[in-house]
Structure formats: structure tokens, C-alpha cells
Amino acid sequence: MSAFSLTLRTGHRRAARRGAAGIALAGLLMATTAFAAAKADMVFLHGNVVPMTAPDARAEAVAVKDGKILAVGSDSEIERMRGRTTKVVDLQGKTVLPGFIDAHGHITGVGQQADLAALQPPPVGPVSDIASLQAALRQYAQTHPDGWVMGTGYDDAELVEKRHPTRQELDAVSADRPILIAHVSGHLAVLNTKALELAKLLHTDADPPGGVIRREADGKTASGVIEESAIFVAYAITPRPTPEKQVEQLKKAQAIYASYGLTTAQDGAALPETWTLLETAAKQDALFIDIHALPLMQAWPTGLEQVPFSRTYTQHLRAAGVKILADGSPQGRTAWLTHPYHIVPHGREKDYSGYRQIPDDVLQGLLRKAADHDWQVFVHVNGDAAIQQLIDSVQAVGQTRGKPMQRTIAIHAQTARVDQLQAMKTLDIEPSFFAAHTFYWGDWHREVTLGLPRAEHISPQRDAFDLGLHPSIHNDAPVVPPDVMRMIWSATTRRTRSNDILGPEERVTPYEALLEVTRNAAYQLHEDNVKGTLEPGKLADLVILDRDPTATSPERLLDIKVSGTVKEGRYIYGAP
């Protein structure tokens, strides 16, 4: 084997795997010979390198130059690339993987969340009932003595009362100050009476298009709970942090992402002011991980044509495509299903199955506009009725334009049926699954929202792989923390909070789950030419783990810790 080759440690494997590994090796050999005379800026030695080029591909060391991978190979091969100024990192047997990629999330929301009252249930936060929710809000009000009292992350599925708080229960915290608390899904919120009055929602006859104002027994007075587009009415009157504060929040959010091994993040529903924030942060060199933003088309009646959409990053920022909201949240029971919810929300008709966010003609118009501008499209679809609407609309737009749409991303796709996955394969629609749902809300889906057998097939990753799709997975942070290893554990075990296994036939292997946060995620984002695998010429985005997930029992994946995160050859978490 010639210099700078990739060392393959192979066990018992099938002939097909041998062929894939051999192809990966040949590609690396050809790529690395061009760097034979180069000296590295940094070398990582004595490790277990999992390049994600093939299931059995392994190496011991990585060389980095100018922020890119120079070579991947054995210790002895990479040692030859050391120069007098080369920085040497002794991995001491730790595992190196491509930096994790956030296929869907809201990094600016993670930054903002840090300055709100934390109302999440365990294991994320302390709130387990309405009394503890009120206590958390009172504590926040004491430390923030003026203006709005705002919290985030409450979850009716995990409250002892199994319901949303009322406006009166928030009034008990403060009747004089406006209070708004966001549901963990981000698709519902609760306001106290003062906030409802300020938003002009307390006594209104009509719901906003695509939204719902839940009402009390008189059918007129708002109960405090608002859904979907109604939330934007309330948010429009809440205070905004200063631009300087928002940039600081964004820096903190990036540090959180880096601590979980993420080198690429998404801002998955960027409003005009959000894009302005991201551009400001980029110009100030305040971004140290890559952020791909998706302007939310419904929030941009004008101005999208002026957004500089690009396949490449400038100062770690790019506008990658556009986002469209087609339905809501399954755990919040606003996702649009074909069949009714197992247990419908209080006050709903027995055949309630959620609702659409957007009419067919409007959705097709947005898809057509995006296709005409060559903008990649990411569509939020949780319920199978919304997924079908997307499938039918992509097909219709392709027919009217005379050419198919390319690489549309179905965000969440939680209740996708096998026939829908087959149609997605035909139409070049790739699913990005909210894999953490099986842990956080698996019991709730089984018992309340979906029932059996629907709940067992939520986030059908196994079916997607078997059909030849390129699925990715995500945490949808800040809905849940951007904890990649917990998400991988969830994808491979499908354990719920009660320790049940929800739909064991949809489990994937650790290697496949890693594909979903590396190579497949890069493919979905059109970034697979520079990310997703450890190969010469690609960005030196690395995550260093204290053990190898592919050699660990799925049940023990939660025990794996991130030792370091490297972005383009520079440590952004941990230390060499």
C-alpha cells in the first residue's frame, strides 16, 4: 500500500461492503498523492478515524492544512507530513468523525431561549406541573422586574395536569405585567389576560388564517392558548433585545452547538430581522460555525429576491434556500393528519385531524417561485395529510414547469407512510426526521396523539433507508437541546421516556444514524462536496468522541461524550 493510504481495519463483512470500502480507498489514494510534498499545519495521531466513506473504512490519523483535510491514513503515513511548525494532537485512542451537521433547527432561537424563563420538563428543565411552572415564572419576574414576563418550553404532555395552563393561572403570577409562555413545540403559546388585551386577542370573533385562538365556555373570551399563526400576532408586540444583545446570544448558541459536536447549524425559519441579525454577526466575524439560513417565505411578502442565496459560505453564513410551513406540531395536536387524532384536544370535534397552514394554490405558487429562482425548498410537514399536500404540489409544479423540482426537503416528515416515501423517492424529495420525538413524546404519541399502530411508525428511518432515500435527522433546537448523541441513541433504540421501544422495526444502526448527521445531511444541503466525510480537500470539520459509536451498544450511546470539536482546523470546543 502506497504512502498516504487509508488504513482499513476490516472484520467479517459482505462482498458488497468490501467493494464500497475499496472504492473509498481508491478515491483517497488518488486524492492524497497530490499532497505528497505538502506539510501539515496540524496532525491528529493515534486515533480511531471513522471517515464515513464506507461502513468499514477506518484510519489512525488525519492531516490538516489551510483549514482543509490534507490526508487521512495511518500514523506512520501522516507522521511524514509533519513539519517544524506542525501542531501535533495526540488523540490517545479517541474517535474522530466528520463534524456533525444540523439538518434542521433554529440556532437564533437557541440564543434567545437562554434569556427566557426555562419551563421545560425533565431531563431538560425543572417544570413538572403548573405550580412549578408558576414558580419558575415568579422567579424570572423577580430577576426581570420590568416589562414582559416570558418563558419557553412548557409541555402539556409532561405536566401532571396533562393540559395547557390558562390565562387565569398566568394571572396568578402577575395580573399587571403581560406574560407569554411558548409551548415546547413552538407551535402554541399561552398568554395572560394583560398580554391578550395588548395583542387585541382577548375578545375577537375571528381566528387569523392558519391559526387558532382557543376560547372559554362562552365561545368569545380567549382562554389564553393560541396556536400557529396566532402566535405571530402576539410576538409582534413583544420587546426585542438590542442588536448587540442578539449577537451575544448568537455567540452563546454557537458555543452550545459546538459542545455537542456540531460544526454546521441551521436557522430554519428566518424572518427579515433574523437575516439582518445573521448578516450583522457575520460582518462582525462573530460566527465560528457555519450557519445556513432558510428565509420563511410566508414572512417575506417582499424582499426575498434581494437575499444573496448561495451554495457557498461568506464569513460562515449563507442563505441556503427557503422554508415553507405547511402544518403544525404532532405533540401539540396541530399537525395535519389524514385520520383523526387518537384523542382529540378538549373542545374539538371527534373527527378533528389538525389543519393545514396553507392552501394548495398558495403552496404551489410558492414552490413555483422558488423553483424559478433556483432556491432549494424546505417544507415543514409533520402530518401525513400535509406530506401528501407537499407530494402533490411538487408533482404539479414539476408538470406545469416542464421539469421536476430538485432535492426538496420534507422537514420532520414524522407520519410519512411507505407509499409517501416511495413517491418522495420518485420526486427527489428527501426526508429530515425529528428522531428525538421517539424519546421525548413517544409515550404521548402512543397514548394520546396517534395511538397504535400509527405511533410505531413515527420517523420511519428504516423504511427511508430501505427505499434508497438519503434521510437525515435533527433535534429542531430549541424544541429540544441540540444533543446529537442523544438523538443518535434515540434513532437506534427508539426508547421512550417510559423505556418502551416504540416501533422497533424502524430502528437504524449506529452507522446509519451517523450517516444522517454527516454524509446524508451534507447531501441534503448540497454541501457534500466539502463536508460529510473525512476526505482530502474537504473542510477540516471534525468531532472527537471518547469512544466509537459504531463499536458501542446502541443502549450505551448516551454515555459517549464529545471531547473536542474542530471547525476548519481550529478547536471551537475542548482543547488539544
Side-chain angles (χ1 to χ4, degrees):
M1 186 176 291
S2 62
F4 317 120
S5 61
L6 176 70
T7 300
L8 292 174
R9 305 181 194 129
T10 57
H12 299 291
R13 56 190 179 176
R14 289 178 285 186
R17 284 190 175 181
R18 279 200 300 272
I23 292 169
L25 170 58
L28 281 169
L29 281 170
M30 289 186 289
T32 53
T33 52
F35 296 101
K39 296 299 180 184
D41 296 329
M42 177 183 287
V43 293
F44 297 82
L45 303 172
H46 312 131
N48 172 45
V49 180
V50 184
M52 298 303 297
T53 52
D56 294 320
R58 295 293 185 274
E60 296 173 325
V62 179
V64 174
K65 186 174 180 62
D66 297 330
K68 295 182 179 180
I69 296 171
L70 186 60
V72 178
S74 67
D75 285 333
S76 61
E77 290 163 344
I78 300 303
E79 281 274 10
R80 299 173 200 165
M81 310 190 81
R82 288 177 60 176
R84 288 178 298 174
T85 61
T86 300
K87 186 172 184 177
V88 179
V89 177
D90 184 354
L91 293 167
Q92 299 180 336
K94 294 184 176 70
T95 292
V96 178
L97 285 152
F100 295 145
I101 297 171
D102 175 26
H104 178 66
H106 311 269
I107 190 169
T108 55
V110 172
Q112 295 160 3
Q113 186 182 72
D115 288 321
L116 304 177
L119 307 178
Q120 296 90 345
V124 179
V127 171
S128 58
D129 56 19
I130 290 174
S132 57
L133 180 147
Q134 292 171 319
L137 289 173
R138 290 189 182 100
Q139 183 178 8
Y140 178 88
Q142 289 174 356
T143 58
H144 298 73
D146 300 313
W148 284 69
V149 177
M150 299 186 67
T152 186
Y154 87 89
D155 188 354
D156 59 311
E158 292 302 313
L159 294 176
V160 169
E161 295 84 356
K162 299 297 181 187
R163 62 172 176 82
H164 299 275
T166 65
R167 65 182 176 93
Q168 291 88 350
E169 286 165 333
L170 297 189
D171 288 344
V173 175
S174 177
D176 300 323
R177 296 174 63 181
I179 300 176
L180 183 153
I181 60 173
H183 187 260
V184 65
S185 68
H187 289 262
L188 302 95
V190 186
L191 284 67
N192 72 343
T193 304
K194 182 70 171 179
L196 289 166
E197 289 173 341
L198 291 173
K200 297 181 171 54
L201 296 175
L202 184 60
H203 300 290
T204 180
D205 295 329
D207 292 336
V212 170
I213 301 166
R214 295 192 187 181
R215 293 175 173 83
E216 295 175 351
D218 65 3
K220 299 178 180 179
T221 307
S223 70
V225 180
I226 58 176
E227 303 176 4
E228 301 301 341
S229 66
I231 297 172
F232 292 105
V233 177
Y235 278 146
I237 63 168
T238 59
R240 297 288 188 273
T242 65
E244 294 78 13
K245 178 68 172 177
Q246 292 181 65
V247 171
E248 287 304 311
Q249 291 174 336
L250 187 54
K251 289 179 180 178
K252 292 178 181 178
Q254 291 175 89
I256 292 170
Y257 275 60
S259 73
Y260 290 117
L262 287 155
T263 53
T264 301
Q266 185 179 97
D267 201 68
L271 307 179
E273 57 266 32
T274 312
W275 176 249
T276 299
L277 163 64
L278 291 168
E279 281 195 311
T280 298
K283 290 174 183 176
Q284 294 177 4
D285 289 325
L287 303 183
F288 52 86
I289 65 176
D290 286 343
I291 299 177
H292 54 280
L294 309 177
L296 178 62
M297 290 194 84
Q298 289 115 310
W300 288 70
T302 60
L304 264 181
E305 289 80 5
Q306 282 69 56
V307 175
F309 292 94
S310 174
R311 292 281 172 87
T312 60
Y313 288 88
T314 301
Q315 294 170 292
H316 295 298
L317 176 66
R318 77 179 181 105
V322 291
K323 168 81 170 288
I324 300 172
L325 279 171
D327 74 339
S329 154
Q331 69 269 39
R333 287 179 283 183
T334 61
W336 185 26
L337 302 172
T338 302
H339 299 289
Y341 279 91
H342 182 57
I343 298 176
V344 303
H346 178 73
R348 296 288 193 180
E349 298 294 331
K350 293 195 325 185
D351 63 350
Y352 171 77
S353 57
Y355 49 92
R356 70 173 73 211
Q357 286 280 321
I358 187 169
D360 291 347
D361 61 330
V362 176
L363 175 58
Q364 291 176 26
L366 294 179
L367 291 175
R368 191 175 300 109
K369 178 178 180 178
D372 288 344
H373 285 85
D374 197 27
W375 299 335
Q376 188 180 8
V377 182
F378 300 71
V379 186
H380 170 115
V381 283
N382 267 310
D384 59 338
I387 294 167
Q388 193 62 48
Q389 183 190 31
L390 173 61
I391 290 170
D392 294 343
S393 296
V394 167
Q395 186 172 38
V397 169
Q399 290 172 345
T400 58
R401 293 182 73 245
K403 57 181 178 180
M405 293 186 63
Q406 294 184 343
R407 210 170 300 180
T408 303
I409 307 301
I411 297 175
H412 307 322
Q414 297 217 60
T415 57
R417 307 184 306 263
V418 171
D419 65 293
Q420 292 178 325
L421 293 173
Q422 291 169 332
M424 289 162 68
K425 172 72 173 174
T426 300
L427 294 169
D428 195 17
I429 302 172
E430 292 288 351
S432 182
F433 296 117
F434 193 163
H437 250 262
T438 48
F439 170 72
Y440 286 102
W441 295 284
D443 296 322
W444 182 247
H445 291 318
R446 183 186 61 240
E447 298 164 7
V448 176
T449 64
L450 299 175
L452 297 177
R454 280 189 300 182
E456 293 180 312
H457 296 283
I458 198 165
S459 296
Q461 298 165 85
R462 175 78 275 139
D463 290 336
F465 270 111
D466 290 348
L467 286 168
L469 288 159
H470 305 81
S472 68
I473 53 177
H474 60 263
N475 278 306
D476 201 14
V479 175
V480 300
D483 185 341
V484 178
M485 288 312 305
R486 175 175 283 277
M487 176 172 62
I488 289 172
W489 167 82
S490 187
T492 57
T493 67
R494 293 180 68 93
R495 290 280 182 192
T496 69
R497 289 177 183 268
S498 68
N499 208 36
D500 183 30
I501 298 177
L502 187 68
E505 65 277 12
E506 292 296 350
R507 290 179 293 191
V508 296
T509 67
Y511 181 80
E512 288 170 324
L514 288 168
L515 280 176
E516 294 181 291
V517 297
T518 56
R519 200 167 83 195
N520 284 10
Y523 172 81
Q524 288 190 359
L525 297 169
H526 293 280
E527 296 185 19
D528 47 318
N529 61 322
V530 292
K531 296 177 183 176
T533 58
L534 300 181
E535 298 179 83
K538 290 193 173 184
L539 294 178
D541 291 357
L542 317 173
V543 58
I544 302 167
L545 305 177
D546 65 358
R547 70 190 80 168
D548 184 353
T550 68
T552 301
S553 164
E555 298 288 355
R556 301 302 302 274
L557 290 171
L558 269 180
D559 300 333
I560 295 178
K561 305 300 181 188
V562 175
S563 300
T565 305
V566 177
K567 175 62 182 157
E568 295 178 33
R570 184 174 69 88
Y571 270 82
I572 58 173
Y573 173 75

